[in-house]
Amino acid sequence: MKIALGCDHIVTDTKMKISEHLKDLGHEVIDVGTYDFHRTHYPIFGRLIAENVVSGKADLGIALCGTGVGISASADKVPGTRVVLVGDVLTARYAKKELNANIIAFGGRILGQNLIHNIVDVFLETEYEPTEANKQLIEKIDNSIEVSPEIAENDHIFDEENAKWARGEYHD
Ligand code: RB5
């Protein structure tokens, strides 16, 4: 797979180890930076990762900053991304299987290197399951990009989901 990989200056060393890990597994890495420890800004790299994924240059993206918060929020602003900030293997599997997440993010100062590699492995290995329910949920998420002031005042936008819930159609 082609993986877009990026970070801010706080966790460049962690990113380089992820890059080596990905290459050892046979993946192609598009390293969008940063490449050293000079002060920089995570929105640049969040956006670069996202643009590579959305344009199809990369199949998936991996993003990290100190906490993972800044770079994941930045990447998620680019239409077409589904970014998940993850701290465990189970969440990574769910994110790919159910929501077809295309960018995974970490706090490089929060998680250990081995756990990050485990999470990356699960994220890459897990296949998206395009069930009707998953497709509809993803469509709802993607549709949230249309900003509409009426939505905040509309008490009926989730009527369909609430009715399904009442009929017992949702199962965890
Ligand atoms: C440093 O800019 C730090 O704020 C950043 O790496 C990250 O932790 C933000 O979420």
Side-chain angles (χ1 to χ4, degrees):
M1 263 188 262
K2 283 189 192 170
I3 315 288
L5 176 65
C7 65
D8 73 358
H9 59 290
I10 298 278
V11 287
T12 307
D13 45 354
T14 306
K15 184 195 68 177
M16 293 319 295
K17 288 179 191 157
I18 297 172
S19 177
E20 289 310 312
H21 178 68
L22 290 169
K23 288 176 189 166
D24 286 347
L25 292 172
H27 298 293
E28 187 180 323
V29 176
I30 303 171
D31 186 344
V32 302
T34 192
Y35 305 110
D36 56 31
F37 299 95
H38 293 287
R39 182 89 175 82
T40 182
H41 303 285
Y42 49 74
I44 301 166
F45 306 100
R47 180 161 189 177
L48 284 171
I49 295 162
E51 298 283 355
N52 270 277
V53 171
V54 170
S55 69
K57 285 186 193 151
D59 301 302
L60 293 170
I62 299 175
L64 59 155
C65 62
T67 62
V69 169
I71 201 160
S72 60
S74 308
D76 202 44
K77 283 287 177 194
V78 178
T81 60
R82 285 178 299 283
V83 186
V84 285
L85 174 55
V86 165
D88 65 277
V89 165
L90 191 68
T91 308
R93 184 176 293 123
Y94 175 88
K96 186 73 165 307
K97 188 174 160 189
E98 309 278 336
L99 294 180
N100 201 16
N102 52 14
I103 298 177
I104 196 166
F106 304 102
R109 287 283 183 94
I110 306 292
L111 305 181
Q113 192 80 44
N114 287 339
L115 177 56
I116 291 176
H117 291 182
N118 288 343
I119 293 171
V120 165
D121 293 349
V122 166
F123 184 66
L124 299 183
E125 285 162 11
T126 302
E127 299 278 342
Y128 166 54
E129 283 185 4
T131 63
E132 223 24 68
N134 286 344
K135 282 195 238 171
Q136 282 175 19
L137 283 168
I138 291 168
E139 199 183 319
K140 285 264 178 202
I141 294 168
D142 288 346
N143 285 346
S144 297
I145 203 157
E146 289 165 29
V147 178
S148 164
E150 302 89 59
I151 285 182
E153 284 151 30
N154 182 348
D155 293 331
H156 298 285
I157 54 169
F158 291 113
D159 279 359
E160 189 187 333
E161 286 76 9
N162 287 333
K164 281 185 182 169
W165 181 262
R167 291 197 297 270
E169 290 182 24
Y170 288 125
H171 303 280
D172 284 326

